[in-house]
Amino acid sequence: MDFTLSEEQLMIQQAARDFAQNELLPGVIERDDAQMFPAEQVKKMGELGFMGMMVDPKYGGSGLDTISYALVMEELSKVDASASVIVSVNNSLVCWGLEAFGTEEQKEKYLTRLSTGQSIGAFCLSEPEAGSDATSQKTTAVDRGDHYILNGTKNWITNGNSADIYLVIAQTDVSKGHKGINALIVEKGMPGFVIGPKENKLGIRGSDTHSLIFNDVKVPRENRIGDDGFGFKFAMKTLSGGRIGIASQALGIAAGAYELALKYSKERKAFGTEISNHQAIAFKLADMHVQIEAARHLVYKAAWDKDNGHDYDLSSAMAKLYASQVAMDTTVEAVQIHGGNGFVKDYHVERMMRDAKITQIYEGTSEIQKIVISRSILKK
Ligand SMILES: Cc1cc2nc3c(=O)[nH]c(=O)nc-3n(C[C@H](O)[C@H](O)[C@H](O)COP(=O)(O)OP(=O)(O)OC[C@H]3O[C@@H](n4cnc5c(N)ncnc54)[C@H](O)[C@@H]3O)c2cc1C
């Protein structure tokens, strides 16, 4: 077993680390405060190849492996989890799904724009009454021969307003249940497509989350991904890979908070010595270190499974479940180690604590990950 990263992976990791320090760190507090989308930074990430990391270079992608993607996600998330979720959705939920299941025409038309960052993608599954229970789709795509008529509302959509290409899951044939669901490519500006209000969130405030409303939107048939009825499978397959992205995001938030807490503990003095010399603080740091390393191994294993053609439904669910718990635990302790300073914005850890929470909710809550995991282990 070889745990060494390749030269190329180390280079990409360093590039992401440099980008995070030089381009994301300045202004991260202000963007969080103002709920400001990092448009300039996303453009630069497109130029660096971070928006289509695993996409074939013939469609403008970087042609890298999932481990490299996880490394980049970790480094970006150490500093700015709002920026990293934009990257994760674009890479895992939009580019990957299009490349794996789209037609050649769809890839040429949409994938190149998405993987170079010229366009931003959004993945639209959740609805007011269909979150964890994603089969309860109320959005309908009525088949009218050469086009579909799309009606309904999607909730909580990341990149909701910043995106220009949307993968929308909708029910075509109710009698077929989840086998009657389709995935359609919808473009911003299609008549009847309305962007709803922006959510005012606890964390990842720099990413824009919106509801989307579809009123008789005419979507050409050639915009359907896969065969008729493939939409639910498409969503589940795509989310399985997406969980590696969110697990890496959680890992990065935890690692970022840990690094800040470690540094602070060696500088801050109480009772005549650095607080790291108090065993209560040193043990917190020890626990954080072990948990982060364990999360990292789960994340890399899931990425490795995907890269090597193994099933990764179980490993990605385990990585997300565990890494998101570590993100919560570590950020709470990082605030504690910072004392009063942890409670104010300047020291970053309070933002990280707020950002960490979402990793236990989106792309399948922790409870849903446990359903995936328990089903998998019980069927063996
Ligand atoms: C900031 C943000 C960004 C998001 N981005 C996107 C996006 O880009 N695209 C998209 O499609 N969606 C997105 N979502 C939606 C997200 O995926 C859902 O919020 C999530 O899947 C949970 O669904 P829900 O909110 O309806 O909660 P519910 O499904 O109502 O769950 C409520 C609670 O009940 C629990 N629960 C539900 N069913 C079970 C069960 N069977 N067993 C045990 N517990 C259960 C849940 O775990 C949770 O604790 C986003 C959400 C947020 C907050």
Side-chain angles (χ1 to χ4, degrees):
M1 202 176 293
D2 185 0
F3 289 98
T4 327
L5 295 176
S6 69
E7 281 294 315
E8 186 183 51
Q9 288 164 340
L10 287 169
M11 250 172 56
I12 290 153
Q13 184 184 43
Q14 190 59 50
R17 195 171 287 160
D18 292 344
F19 179 82
Q21 286 302 318
N22 300 332
E23 306 284 345
L24 293 178
L25 188 57
V28 66
I29 293 172
E30 292 74 14
R31 289 194 300 276
D32 170 73
D33 221 19
Q35 293 217 93
M36 192 193 297
F37 185 84
E40 272 306 303
Q41 291 81 354
V42 170
K43 194 164 165 276
K44 287 182 185 163
M45 289 196 285
E47 286 158 11
L48 281 170
F50 292 169
M51 295 303 277
M53 292 200 63
M54 295 163 289
V55 175
D56 191 320
K58 80 173 172 182
Y59 304 114
S62 303
L64 294 165
D65 58 6
T66 314
I67 301 262
S68 301
Y69 168 55
L71 293 170
V72 167
M73 279 297 299
E74 181 183 342
E75 292 305 322
L76 302 177
S77 307
K78 279 183 186 174
V79 174
D80 186 351
S82 295
S84 73
V85 70
I86 299 162
V87 171
S88 185
V89 166
N90 203 69
N91 274 279
S92 299
L93 300 188
V94 182
C95 287
W96 185 83
L98 265 177
E99 187 167 28
F101 304 111
T103 62
E104 201 47 43
E105 293 70 33
Q106 290 169 350
K107 291 182 203 177
E108 273 164 24
K109 187 167 177 192
Y110 299 111
L111 193 52
T112 310
R113 280 160 58 189
L114 287 161
S115 56
T116 52
Q118 281 169 274
S119 288
I120 298 174
F123 178 83
C124 317
L125 174 67
S126 302
E127 299 185 357
E129 290 170 69
S132 302
D133 182 9
T135 51
S136 297
Q137 293 287 309
K138 298 279 185 296
T139 299
T140 54
V142 176
D143 190 344
R144 289 276 169 80
D146 66 346
H147 65 271
Y148 288 91
I149 294 293
L150 189 63
N151 275 292
T153 301
K154 292 291 173 184
N155 250 20
W156 313 111
I157 304 305
T158 301
N159 300 339
N161 190 33
S162 315
D164 19 40
I165 298 166
Y166 300 77
L167 306 189
V168 181
I169 311 298
Q171 189 84 44
T172 295
D173 187 343
V174 185
S175 71
K176 291 186 183 160
H178 72 274
K179 292 188 174 155
I181 290 175
N182 279 310
L184 304 176
I185 306 169
V186 176
E187 292 185 44
K188 190 182 231 164
M190 281 182 168
F193 176 17
V194 180
I195 316 262
K198 183 172 174 167
E199 303 292 349
N200 188 1
K201 305 194 296 286
L202 171 76
I204 56 161
R205 287 169 56 82
S207 90
D208 67 320
T209 313
H210 289 255
S211 54
L212 306 176
I213 303 120
F214 304 97
N215 297 315
D216 289 330
V217 179
K218 190 174 167 183
V219 184
R221 190 178 195 81
E222 64 258 27
N223 282 24
R224 190 185 73 208
I225 302 174
D227 293 335
D228 184 33
F230 180 65
F232 189 70
K233 203 165 174 198
F234 169 81
M236 293 303 111
K237 276 268 138 223
T238 306
L239 281 171
S240 199
R243 284 168 189 157
I244 300 175
I246 300 307
S248 321
Q249 180 189 41
L251 169 63
I253 296 171
Y258 163 75
E259 285 171 14
L260 291 175
L262 183 68
K263 184 168 176 283
Y264 188 82
S265 74
K266 292 196 249 178
E267 291 164 1
R268 176 74 179 173
K269 288 194 174 144
F271 298 93
T273 184
E274 289 79 17
I275 58 168
S276 58
N277 290 328
H278 299 300
Q279 198 177 56
I281 300 295
F283 278 14
K284 281 188 200 301
L285 292 164
D287 284 341
M288 288 162 140
H289 186 72
V290 174
Q291 285 161 8
I292 289 167
E293 199 57 18
R296 190 171 281 124
H297 282 102
L298 282 174
V299 172
Y300 290 4
K301 171 62 167 53
W304 182 88
D305 278 343
K306 185 162 176 283
D307 285 336
N308 286 280
H310 300 170
D311 186 87
Y312 52 92
D313 290 346
L314 174 61
S315 53
S316 63
M318 292 199 303
K320 181 177 184 288
L321 175 69
Y322 187 71
S324 60
Q325 185 62 52
V326 171
M328 270 321 291
D329 295 348
T330 306
T331 53
V332 168
E333 290 295 46
V335 170
Q336 190 68 17
I337 290 173
H338 278 75
N341 283 331
F343 207 66
V344 296
K345 289 184 187 286
D346 302 1
Y347 286 81
H348 298 282
V349 285
E350 67 81 33
R351 184 187 70 256
M352 292 170 162
M353 188 178 87
R354 287 185 285 106
D355 287 348
K357 187 59 202 167
I358 191 59
T359 64
Q360 296 187 307
I361 297 174
Y362 56 17
E363 300 200 24
T365 63
S366 293
E367 290 77 13
I368 296 303
Q369 303 312 321
K370 286 186 192 179
I371 293 177
V372 173
I373 295 163
S374 57
R375 274 189 191 148
S376 175
I377 55 180
L378 289 169
K379 84 175 176 207
K380 281 181 186 161

mmCIF file of all heavy atoms in Angstrom, residues 34-74:
data_model
loop_
_atom_site.group_PDB
_atom_site.id
_atom_site.type_symbol
_atom_site.label_atom_id
_atom_site.label_comp_id
_atom_site.label_asym_id
_atom_site.label_seq_id
_atom_site.Cartn_x
_atom_site.Cartn_y
_atom_site.Cartn_z
ATOM 1 N N ALA A 34 -21.214 39.984 3.817
ATOM 2 C CA ALA A 34 -22.120 40.601 2.844
ATOM 3 C C ALA A 34 -22.831 39.570 1.957
ATOM 4 O O ALA A 34 -23.561 39.947 1.036
ATOM 5 C CB ALA A 34 -21.330 41.578 1.973
ATOM 6 N N GLN A 35 -22.597 38.293 2.198
ATOM 7 C CA GLN A 35 -23.136 37.229 1.333
ATOM 8 C C GLN A 35 -22.772 37.496 -0.128
ATOM 9 O O GLN A 35 -23.632 37.476 -1.009
ATOM 10 C CB GLN A 35 -24.655 37.125 1.463
ATOM 11 C CG GLN A 35 -25.136 36.659 2.820
ATOM 12 C CD GLN A 35 -26.334 35.749 2.736
ATOM 13 O OE1 GLN A 35 -26.216 34.526 2.691
ATOM 14 N NE2 GLN A 35 -27.516 36.323 2.699
ATOM 15 N N MET A 36 -21.484 37.751 -0.348
ATOM 16 C CA MET A 36 -21.032 38.158 -1.685
ATOM 17 C C MET A 36 -20.413 36.965 -2.434
ATOM 18 O O MET A 36 -19.492 36.316 -1.926
ATOM 19 C CB MET A 36 -19.983 39.263 -1.524
ATOM 20 C CG MET A 36 -19.638 39.970 -2.817
ATOM 21 S SD MET A 36 -18.162 40.955 -2.550
ATOM 22 C CE MET A 36 -18.744 42.106 -1.328
ATOM 23 N N PHE A 37 -20.921 36.686 -3.607
ATOM 24 C CA PHE A 37 -20.408 35.588 -4.439
ATOM 25 C C PHE A 37 -18.991 35.935 -4.926
ATOM 26 O O PHE A 37 -18.768 37.049 -5.426
ATOM 27 C CB PHE A 37 -21.345 35.395 -5.644
ATOM 28 C CG PHE A 37 -20.990 34.221 -6.507
ATOM 29 C CD1 PHE A 37 -21.424 32.942 -6.182
ATOM 30 C CD2 PHE A 37 -20.225 34.388 -7.645
ATOM 31 C CE1 PHE A 37 -21.106 31.847 -6.982
ATOM 32 C CE2 PHE A 37 -19.899 33.296 -8.452
ATOM 33 C CZ PHE A 37 -20.340 32.033 -8.121
ATOM 34 N N PRO A 38 -18.031 35.001 -4.809
ATOM 35 C CA PRO A 38 -16.648 35.323 -5.189
ATOM 36 C C PRO A 38 -16.415 35.234 -6.707
ATOM 37 O O PRO A 38 -15.651 34.380 -7.191
ATOM 38 C CB PRO A 38 -15.832 34.263 -4.437
ATOM 39 C CG PRO A 38 -16.748 33.097 -4.330
ATOM 40 C CD PRO A 38 -18.149 33.634 -4.251
ATOM 41 N N ALA A 39 -17.057 36.127 -7.454
ATOM 42 C CA ALA A 39 -17.069 36.013 -8.920
ATOM 43 C C ALA A 39 -15.652 36.070 -9.523
ATOM 44 O O ALA A 39 -15.304 35.243 -10.376
ATOM 45 C CB ALA A 39 -17.935 37.125 -9.512
ATOM 46 N N GLU A 40 -14.850 37.016 -9.068
ATOM 47 C CA GLU A 40 -13.482 37.159 -9.596
ATOM 48 C C GLU A 40 -12.661 35.902 -9.329
ATOM 49 O O GLU A 40 -11.922 35.409 -10.187
ATOM 50 C CB GLU A 40 -12.776 38.344 -8.907
ATOM 51 C CG GLU A 40 -13.003 39.674 -9.589
ATOM 52 C CD GLU A 40 -12.629 39.613 -11.066
ATOM 53 O OE1 GLU A 40 -11.480 39.261 -11.363
ATOM 54 O OE2 GLU A 40 -13.502 39.885 -11.903
ATOM 55 N N GLN A 41 -12.807 35.405 -8.108
ATOM 56 C CA GLN A 41 -12.038 34.227 -7.690
ATOM 57 C C GLN A 41 -12.466 32.992 -8.483
ATOM 58 O O GLN A 41 -11.631 32.166 -8.850
ATOM 59 C CB GLN A 41 -12.224 33.980 -6.184
ATOM 60 C CG GLN A 41 -11.574 35.018 -5.284
ATOM 61 C CD GLN A 41 -12.405 36.299 -5.123
ATOM 62 O OE1 GLN A 41 -13.433 36.496 -5.765
ATOM 63 N NE2 GLN A 41 -11.953 37.184 -4.250
ATOM 64 N N VAL A 42 -13.754 32.890 -8.765
ATOM 65 C CA VAL A 42 -14.247 31.730 -9.536
ATOM 66 C C VAL A 42 -13.676 31.789 -10.952
ATOM 67 O O VAL A 42 -13.261 30.772 -11.519
ATOM 68 C CB VAL A 42 -15.798 31.691 -9.547
ATOM 69 C CG1 VAL A 42 -16.322 30.652 -10.523
ATOM 70 C CG2 VAL A 42 -16.332 31.404 -8.147
ATOM 71 N N LYS A 43 -13.617 33.004 -11.504
ATOM 72 C CA LYS A 43 -13.055 33.168 -12.846
ATOM 73 C C LYS A 43 -11.590 32.678 -12.856
ATOM 74 O O LYS A 43 -11.175 31.921 -13.738
ATOM 75 C CB LYS A 43 -13.126 34.650 -13.225
ATOM 76 C CG LYS A 43 -12.890 34.943 -14.665
ATOM 77 C CD LYS A 43 -13.370 36.364 -14.997
ATOM 78 C CE LYS A 43 -12.832 36.812 -16.330
ATOM 79 N NZ LYS A 43 -11.486 37.371 -16.254
ATOM 80 N N LYS A 44 -10.850 33.077 -11.829
ATOM 81 C CA LYS A 44 -9.439 32.654 -11.748
ATOM 82 C C LYS A 44 -9.316 31.141 -11.541
ATOM 83 O O LYS A 44 -8.408 30.511 -12.070
ATOM 84 C CB LYS A 44 -8.728 33.397 -10.610
ATOM 85 C CG LYS A 44 -8.461 34.858 -10.957
ATOM 86 C CD LYS A 44 -7.730 35.568 -9.847
ATOM 87 C CE LYS A 44 -7.592 37.051 -10.172
ATOM 88 N NZ LYS A 44 -7.270 37.887 -9.019
ATOM 89 N N MET A 45 -10.245 30.577 -10.784
ATOM 90 C CA MET A 45 -10.198 29.125 -10.581
ATOM 91 C C MET A 45 -10.479 28.395 -11.894
ATOM 92 O O MET A 45 -9.929 27.328 -12.144
ATOM 93 C CB MET A 45 -11.181 28.703 -9.489
ATOM 94 C CG MET A 45 -10.711 29.139 -8.106
ATOM 95 S SD MET A 45 -11.552 28.314 -6.752
ATOM 96 C CE MET A 45 -13.129 29.138 -6.764
ATOM 97 N N GLY A 46 -11.311 29.008 -12.723
ATOM 98 C CA GLY A 46 -11.544 28.451 -14.061
ATOM 99 C C GLY A 46 -10.250 28.460 -14.863
ATOM 100 O O GLY A 46 -9.897 27.475 -15.517
ATOM 101 N N GLU A 47 -9.527 29.555 -14.782
ATOM 102 C CA GLU A 47 -8.261 29.666 -15.529
ATOM 103 C C GLU A 47 -7.228 28.655 -15.018
ATOM 104 O O GLU A 47 -6.413 28.135 -15.776
ATOM 105 C CB GLU A 47 -7.707 31.099 -15.401
ATOM 106 C CG GLU A 47 -8.492 32.115 -16.235
ATOM 107 C CD GLU A 47 -8.337 33.560 -15.755
ATOM 108 O OE1 GLU A 47 -7.465 33.831 -14.905
ATOM 109 O OE2 GLU A 47 -9.105 34.410 -16.242
ATOM 110 N N LEU A 48 -7.282 28.383 -13.722
ATOM 111 C CA LEU A 48 -6.334 27.414 -13.143
ATOM 112 C C LEU A 48 -6.734 25.964 -13.394
ATOM 113 O O LEU A 48 -6.005 25.037 -13.051
ATOM 114 C CB LEU A 48 -6.238 27.624 -11.630
ATOM 115 C CG LEU A 48 -5.370 28.775 -11.137
ATOM 116 C CD1 LEU A 48 -5.591 28.991 -9.645
ATOM 117 C CD2 LEU A 48 -3.892 28.485 -11.405
ATOM 118 N N GLY A 49 -7.922 25.768 -13.951
ATOM 119 C CA GLY A 49 -8.376 24.404 -14.252
ATOM 120 C C GLY A 49 -9.106 23.743 -13.097
ATOM 121 O O GLY A 49 -9.334 22.532 -13.112
ATOM 122 N N PHE A 50 -9.510 24.536 -12.080
ATOM 123 C CA PHE A 50 -10.178 23.943 -10.913
ATOM 124 C C PHE A 50 -11.676 23.697 -11.140
ATOM 125 O O PHE A 50 -12.315 23.052 -10.322
ATOM 126 C CB PHE A 50 -10.032 24.850 -9.678
ATOM 127 C CG PHE A 50 -8.623 24.957 -9.134
ATOM 128 C CD1 PHE A 50 -8.310 25.909 -8.170
ATOM 129 C CD2 PHE A 50 -7.617 24.106 -9.560
ATOM 130 C CE1 PHE A 50 -7.021 26.014 -7.655
ATOM 131 C CE2 PHE A 50 -6.320 24.205 -9.056
ATOM 132 C CZ PHE A 50 -6.028 25.165 -8.105
ATOM 133 N N MET A 51 -12.234 24.245 -12.225
ATOM 134 C CA MET A 51 -13.689 24.116 -12.390
ATOM 135 C C MET A 51 -14.092 22.839 -13.147
ATOM 136 O O MET A 51 -15.252 22.440 -13.104
ATOM 137 C CB MET A 51 -14.268 25.354 -13.090
ATOM 138 C CG MET A 51 -14.127 26.641 -12.283
ATOM 139 S SD MET A 51 -14.883 26.567 -10.638
ATOM 140 C CE MET A 51 -16.587 26.940 -11.022
ATOM 141 N N GLY A 52 -13.127 22.251 -13.853
ATOM 142 C CA GLY A 52 -13.425 20.990 -14.549
ATOM 143 C C GLY A 52 -12.266 20.032 -14.366
ATOM 144 O O GLY A 52 -11.655 19.559 -15.318
ATOM 145 N N MET A 53 -11.983 19.743 -13.110
ATOM 146 C CA MET A 53 -10.728 19.045 -12.787
ATOM 147 C C MET A 53 -10.625 17.646 -13.378
ATOM 148 O O MET A 53 -9.565 17.217 -13.803
ATOM 149 C CB MET A 53 -10.562 18.967 -11.274
ATOM 150 C CG MET A 53 -10.330 20.329 -10.665
ATOM 151 S SD MET A 53 -9.579 20.209 -9.065
ATOM 152 C CE MET A 53 -8.033 19.448 -9.484
ATOM 153 N N MET A 54 -11.751 16.923 -13.392
ATOM 154 C CA MET A 54 -11.681 15.522 -13.832
ATOM 155 C C MET A 54 -12.152 15.347 -15.271
ATOM 156 O O MET A 54 -12.209 14.239 -15.780
ATOM 157 C CB MET A 54 -12.506 14.652 -12.881
ATOM 158 C CG MET A 54 -11.935 14.621 -11.480
ATOM 159 S SD MET A 54 -13.093 14.035 -10.231
ATOM 160 C CE MET A 54 -14.257 15.356 -10.085
ATOM 161 N N VAL A 55 -12.484 16.472 -15.908
ATOM 162 C CA VAL A 55 -13.030 16.408 -17.275
ATOM 163 C C VAL A 55 -11.895 16.191 -18.283
ATOM 164 O O VAL A 55 -10.799 16.726 -18.142
ATOM 165 C CB VAL A 55 -13.802 17.719 -17.600
ATOM 166 C CG1 VAL A 55 -14.283 17.735 -19.039
ATOM 167 C CG2 VAL A 55 -14.958 17.908 -16.632
ATOM 168 N N ASP A 56 -12.214 15.411 -19.302
ATOM 169 C CA ASP A 56 -11.273 15.142 -20.387
ATOM 170 C C ASP A 56 -10.816 16.478 -21.018
ATOM 171 O O ASP A 56 -11.655 17.333 -21.315
ATOM 172 C CB ASP A 56 -12.023 14.299 -21.436
ATOM 173 C CG ASP A 56 -11.089 13.731 -22.485
ATOM 174 O OD1 ASP A 56 -10.168 14.455 -22.915
ATOM 175 O OD2 ASP A 56 -11.298 12.575 -22.876
ATOM 176 N N PRO A 57 -9.491 16.632 -21.244
ATOM 177 C CA PRO A 57 -9.007 17.880 -21.855
ATOM 178 C C PRO A 57 -9.683 18.205 -23.184
ATOM 179 O O PRO A 57 -9.764 19.377 -23.564
ATOM 180 C CB PRO A 57 -7.507 17.624 -22.042
ATOM 181 C CG PRO A 57 -7.177 16.620 -20.993
ATOM 182 C CD PRO A 57 -8.395 15.752 -20.846
ATOM 183 N N LYS A 58 -10.206 17.193 -23.881
ATOM 184 C CA LYS A 58 -10.877 17.526 -25.157
ATOM 185 C C LYS A 58 -12.157 18.348 -24.942
ATOM 186 O O LYS A 58 -12.661 18.985 -25.862
ATOM 187 C CB LYS A 58 -11.112 16.288 -26.015
ATOM 188 C CG LYS A 58 -12.273 15.443 -25.667
ATOM 189 C CD LYS A 58 -12.446 14.353 -26.739
ATOM 190 C CE LYS A 58 -13.503 13.368 -26.305
ATOM 191 N NZ LYS A 58 -13.755 12.280 -27.138
ATOM 192 N N TYR A 59 -12.664 18.347 -23.708
ATOM 193 C CA TYR A 59 -13.795 19.222 -23.377
ATOM 194 C C TYR A 59 -13.342 20.359 -22.450
ATOM 195 O O TYR A 59 -14.113 20.875 -21.638
ATOM 196 C CB TYR A 59 -14.918 18.440 -22.693
ATOM 197 C CG TYR A 59 -15.413 17.271 -23.501
ATOM 198 C CD1 TYR A 59 -15.214 15.970 -23.052
ATOM 199 C CD2 TYR A 59 -16.063 17.466 -24.718
ATOM 200 C CE1 TYR A 59 -15.660 14.881 -23.794
ATOM 201 C CE2 TYR A 59 -16.500 16.383 -25.463
ATOM 202 C CZ TYR A 59 -16.290 15.103 -25.003
ATOM 203 O OH TYR A 59 -16.724 14.027 -25.731
ATOM 204 N N GLY A 60 -12.083 20.709 -22.539
ATOM 205 C CA GLY A 60 -11.581 21.855 -21.770
ATOM 206 C C GLY A 60 -11.211 21.563 -20.328
ATOM 207 O O GLY A 60 -10.863 22.471 -19.574
ATOM 208 N N GLY A 61 -11.299 20.290 -19.929
ATOM 209 C CA GLY A 61 -11.011 19.953 -18.532
ATOM 210 C C GLY A 61 -9.530 19.741 -18.266
ATOM 211 O O GLY A 61 -8.697 19.822 -19.173
ATOM 212 N N SER A 62 -9.229 19.459 -16.983
ATOM 213 C CA SER A 62 -7.830 19.258 -16.583
ATOM 214 C C SER A 62 -7.406 17.797 -16.668
ATOM 215 O O SER A 62 -6.216 17.501 -16.533
ATOM 216 C CB SER A 62 -7.622 19.756 -15.151
ATOM 217 O OG SER A 62 -7.995 21.106 -15.049
ATOM 218 N N GLY A 63 -8.351 16.890 -16.842
ATOM 219 C CA GLY A 63 -8.032 15.471 -17.010
ATOM 220 C C GLY A 63 -7.323 14.856 -15.815
ATOM 221 O O GLY A 63 -6.508 13.954 -15.975
ATOM 222 N N LEU A 64 -7.642 15.314 -14.608
ATOM 223 C CA LEU A 64 -6.953 14.822 -13.409
ATOM 224 C C LEU A 64 -7.785 13.744 -12.709
ATOM 225 O O LEU A 64 -8.950 13.515 -13.050
ATOM 226 C CB LEU A 64 -6.700 15.990 -12.459
ATOM 227 C CG LEU A 64 -5.711 17.039 -12.996
ATOM 228 C CD1 LEU A 64 -5.797 18.321 -12.182
ATOM 229 C CD2 LEU A 64 -4.290 16.494 -12.990
ATOM 230 N N ASP A 65 -7.179 13.139 -11.701
ATOM 231 C CA ASP A 65 -7.902 12.092 -10.971
ATOM 232 C C ASP A 65 -8.710 12.690 -9.803
ATOM 233 O O ASP A 65 -8.599 13.890 -9.502
ATOM 234 C CB ASP A 65 -6.945 10.991 -10.494
ATOM 235 C CG ASP A 65 -5.842 11.543 -9.594
ATOM 236 O OD1 ASP A 65 -5.881 12.742 -9.242
ATOM 237 O OD2 ASP A 65 -4.936 10.767 -9.244
ATOM 238 N N THR A 66 -9.485 11.816 -9.173
ATOM 239 C CA THR A 66 -10.357 12.276 -8.084
ATOM 240 C C THR A 66 -9.540 12.651 -6.847
ATOM 241 O O THR A 66 -9.934 13.520 -6.071
ATOM 242 C CB THR A 66 -11.397 11.185 -7.744
ATOM 243 O OG1 THR A 66 -11.949 10.699 -8.974
ATOM 244 C CG2 THR A 66 -12.534 11.717 -6.901
ATOM 245 N N ILE A 67 -8.384 11.994 -6.668
ATOM 246 C CA ILE A 67 -7.516 12.344 -5.524
ATOM 247 C C ILE A 67 -7.084 13.808 -5.667
ATOM 248 O O ILE A 67 -7.133 14.575 -4.696
ATOM 249 C CB ILE A 67 -6.263 11.428 -5.464
ATOM 250 C CG1 ILE A 67 -6.656 9.960 -5.349
ATOM 251 C CG2 ILE A 67 -5.304 11.900 -4.363
ATOM 252 C CD1 ILE A 67 -6.652 9.340 -3.990
ATOM 253 N N SER A 68 -6.675 14.197 -6.872
ATOM 254 C CA SER A 68 -6.241 15.590 -7.091
ATOM 255 C C SER A 68 -7.394 16.550 -6.778
ATOM 256 O O SER A 68 -7.201 17.608 -6.173
ATOM 257 C CB SER A 68 -5.805 15.809 -8.540
ATOM 258 O OG SER A 68 -4.757 14.941 -8.851
ATOM 259 N N TYR A 69 -8.582 16.162 -7.209
ATOM 260 C CA TYR A 69 -9.773 16.972 -6.933
ATOM 261 C C TYR A 69 -9.983 17.120 -5.415
ATOM 262 O O TYR A 69 -10.210 18.224 -4.902
ATOM 263 C CB TYR A 69 -10.974 16.305 -7.619
ATOM 264 C CG TYR A 69 -12.330 16.806 -7.231
ATOM 265 C CD1 TYR A 69 -12.666 18.153 -7.325
ATOM 266 C CD2 TYR A 69 -13.318 15.909 -6.786
ATOM 267 C CE1 TYR A 69 -13.937 18.602 -6.977
ATOM 268 C CE2 TYR A 69 -14.577 16.341 -6.444
ATOM 269 C CZ TYR A 69 -14.884 17.685 -6.532
ATOM 270 O OH TYR A 69 -16.143 18.122 -6.189
ATOM 271 N N ALA A 70 -9.850 16.003 -4.698
ATOM 272 C CA ALA A 70 -10.026 16.046 -3.237
ATOM 273 C C ALA A 70 -8.956 16.944 -2.598
ATOM 274 O O ALA A 70 -9.245 17.692 -1.656
ATOM 275 C CB ALA A 70 -9.956 14.636 -2.657
ATOM 276 N N LEU A 71 -7.752 16.882 -3.119
ATOM 277 C CA LEU A 71 -6.665 17.718 -2.570
ATOM 278 C C LEU A 71 -6.975 19.199 -2.755
ATOM 279 O O LEU A 71 -6.786 20.008 -1.844
ATOM 280 C CB LEU A 71 -5.330 17.391 -3.269
ATOM 281 C CG LEU A 71 -4.754 15.999 -3.000
ATOM 282 C CD1 LEU A 71 -3.570 15.727 -3.936
ATOM 283 C CD2 LEU A 71 -4.317 15.869 -1.548
ATOM 284 N N VAL A 72 -7.447 19.536 -3.945
ATOM 285 C CA VAL A 72 -7.788 20.941 -4.221
ATOM 286 C C VAL A 72 -8.948 21.379 -3.327
ATOM 287 O O VAL A 72 -8.910 22.455 -2.711
ATOM 288 C CB VAL A 72 -8.119 21.144 -5.718
ATOM 289 C CG1 VAL A 72 -8.766 22.501 -5.962
ATOM 290 C CG2 VAL A 72 -6.855 20.987 -6.552
ATOM 291 N N MET A 73 -9.970 20.538 -3.238
ATOM 292 C CA MET A 73 -11.121 20.875 -2.391
ATOM 293 C C MET A 73 -10.682 21.104 -0.943
ATOM 294 O O MET A 73 -11.144 22.033 -0.283
ATOM 295 C CB MET A 73 -12.158 19.737 -2.436
ATOM 296 C CG MET A 73 -13.068 19.748 -3.642
ATOM 297 S SD MET A 73 -14.106 21.230 -3.721
ATOM 298 C CE MET A 73 -15.042 21.113 -2.208
ATOM 299 N N GLU A 74 -9.791 20.251 -0.462
ATOM 300 C CA GLU A 74 -9.321 20.402 0.928
ATOM 301 C C GLU A 74 -8.612 21.744 1.120
ATOM 302 O O GLU A 74 -8.890 22.476 2.080
ATOM 303 C CB GLU A 74 -8.386 19.235 1.293
ATOM 304 C CG GLU A 74 -7.884 19.332 2.722
ATOM 305 C CD GLU A 74 -6.899 18.226 3.114
ATOM 306 O OE1 GLU A 74 -6.843 17.189 2.417
ATOM 307 O OE2 GLU A 74 -6.182 18.418 4.110
#
